[in-house]
Amino acid sequence: MITAAFWILTAVFVVRLYLVTRWGSSTAFLAAIGIGVLGLFLGGVVVPEAVIDAHLGGVNVLHLVRNLSVTIAVWLIRDGIFAAYSLDASYQSRFTHRPIAIVLAAFAIAIPFSCQRFGPTASNFVPENVQQLPVFIYATVYMSILALLAMSVFRICLQPQMSLPVRVSSRVVAAGMGLVALASVEEIAYMTAMHIDVGGPSVQKVLYVLFSPLFYGGVLLTSLGLGIPPAVKAWRRLQVRDRAALVFLTATLGRTYWGLSYAAWLASILASLCASSPSARLYEYIIRSSDHKVALSGRATPVLAGRVLDRVQARFDGGVGSLESVLPVRAAH
């Protein structure tokens, strides 16, 4: 599950980076997602944890760096969510939304970690060292901060949204952050049971097993939710539906109606794929194809191509408004 979350979040980061570099879109979530990708990467998805930790001294410092990365990523996500969904900017005056808050939170996590009796790299660092009071405090503080941040995001994401993509995105993020908060509380319960040795091995084992599906399931849902708005925006910007229709019609009807040579036909398909304004070109193509269809009325149109032509034609039969939506705007003379 952590692997799926890593690659989905990486894909979301790439799409957002493309939108920022190509169209100057908002960078509100870019840093958060980038740090989140780093945090998941440090979880051993690509490179084993022991290899990474060896470069940091081989005493489990990787565990601290990963947790700090996750904390900062969630804090930035919360900041971006509030900026996007909050009805006013009064939240910015709250101490918990100021940069100093996350700096203090990082110190609150790192100080107990530095007070432990350091040992060699451990794949299950907390379970193997939770009997140490500094490790117990370190992990409890980290999980408590994460739970508070996640619940803050959860609450703001439940506010009504007018846009369907934004509404779906916010609900998926809310579900993900709810799971992260639940996992954090569950992990605190597990660490407490281990530290003071209550509940017995069976209860402790159940609590241990529950954490990963809850936490990484929450990360997975959050990654999917954050990916919805940029995916929809990229889809609209690239005009994928019109581009696909243009390429399909060029491929199926180009040689039949236009009598193109094979090389010219391939070049036409490539030009359709890379068109800067596929909607406008599609409209021009429909007009041209209609003229050829009349001239070549004795030649049958493939059934699927005919259906695509009819659907596209129906979109452009709405009059002037439809034409203005697809044709380039020209200055009046």
Side-chain angles (χ1 to χ4, degrees):
M1 193 169 288
I2 182 177
T3 303
F6 170 77
W7 290 114
I8 289 174
L9 199 61
T10 300
V12 174
F13 178 77
V14 171
V15 172
R16 281 196 176 273
L17 184 61
Y18 173 76
L19 291 174
V20 169
T21 56
R22 179 69 174 81
W23 289 298
S25 299
S26 172
T27 60
F29 292 110
L30 191 63
I33 295 172
I35 295 174
V37 169
L38 174 63
L40 292 177
F41 174 83
L42 296 177
V45 174
V46 179
V47 181
E49 294 181 51
V51 175
I52 303 176
D53 192 56
H55 292 284
L56 299 175
V59 289
N60 299 294
V61 174
L62 173 65
H63 198 276
L64 173 65
V65 175
R66 181 173 65 240
N67 288 350
L68 289 178
S69 298
V70 172
T71 304
I72 294 171
V74 175
W75 190 84
L76 289 172
I77 288 173
R78 184 189 65 154
D79 200 52
I81 291 288
F82 267 81
Y85 299 160
S86 184
L87 299 178
D88 57 63
S90 61
Y91 71 91
Q92 296 176 343
S93 62
R94 303 175 198 167
F95 176 78
T96 54
H97 285 266
R98 296 176 183 174
I100 187 63
I102 190 61
V103 173
L104 293 176
F107 275 107
I109 295 170
I111 290 173
F113 180 89
S114 65
C115 296
Q116 66 173 298
R117 297 189 305 274
F118 287 93
T121 302
S123 57
N124 295 310
F125 169 69
V126 171
E128 294 178 18
N129 296 274
V130 74
Q131 296 299 333
Q132 293 190 51
L133 183 59
V135 174
F136 173 69
I137 295 174
Y138 149 72
T140 301
V141 170
Y142 162 63
M143 284 297 172
S144 299
I145 292 173
L146 202 60
L148 291 173
L149 292 174
M151 285 306 300
S152 182
V153 176
F154 176 82
R155 287 194 300 270
I156 194 70
C157 281
L158 293 182
Q159 291 187 357
Q161 303 296 332
M162 296 297 295
S163 168
L164 178 60
V166 173
R167 186 163 62 249
V168 174
S169 170
S170 64
R171 298 305 184 268
V172 175
V173 171
M177 283 299 175
L179 286 179
V180 169
L182 181 60
S184 300
V185 173
E186 188 273 337
E187 182 71 353
I188 292 173
Y190 164 72
M191 293 184 298
T192 302
M194 289 286 291
H195 184 71
I196 62 178
D197 194 19
V198 297
S202 58
V203 173
Q204 294 172 5
K205 185 175 182 180
V206 170
L207 291 173
Y208 174 77
V209 171
L210 282 175
F211 174 75
S212 289
L214 288 175
F215 183 80
Y216 291 111
V219 172
L220 183 61
L221 284 176
T222 301
S223 303
L224 288 171
L226 291 175
I228 292 173
V232 171
K233 193 170 187 177
W235 177 276
R236 290 173 177 171
R237 291 273 193 173
L238 295 173
Q239 301 176 54
V240 176
R241 184 178 64 173
D242 287 347
R243 194 179 302 275
L246 180 62
V247 170
F248 175 77
L249 292 175
T250 302
T252 54
L253 301 179
R255 300 188 74 183
T256 302
Y257 284 171
W258 300 348
L260 298 175
S261 66
Y262 184 72
W265 176 66
L266 289 178
S268 182
I269 293 175
L270 182 61
S272 299
L273 184 64
C274 302
S276 59
S277 181
S279 295
R281 287 201 56 177
L282 183 61
Y283 178 77
E284 295 169 0
Y285 182 90
I286 292 299
I287 298 300
R288 187 177 179 186
S289 296
S290 298
D291 293 341
H292 279 273
K293 190 174 182 179
V294 171
L296 303 174
S297 57
R299 194 169 301 175
T301 300
V303 176
L304 185 57
R307 290 179 180 176
V308 173
L309 278 171
D310 291 341
R311 288 193 177 188
V312 174
Q313 183 66 54
R315 285 184 53 212
F316 296 140
D317 279 345
V320 177
S322 296
L323 301 184
E324 290 177 347
S325 67
V326 297
L327 294 178
V329 176
R330 300 188 180 185
H333 293 288

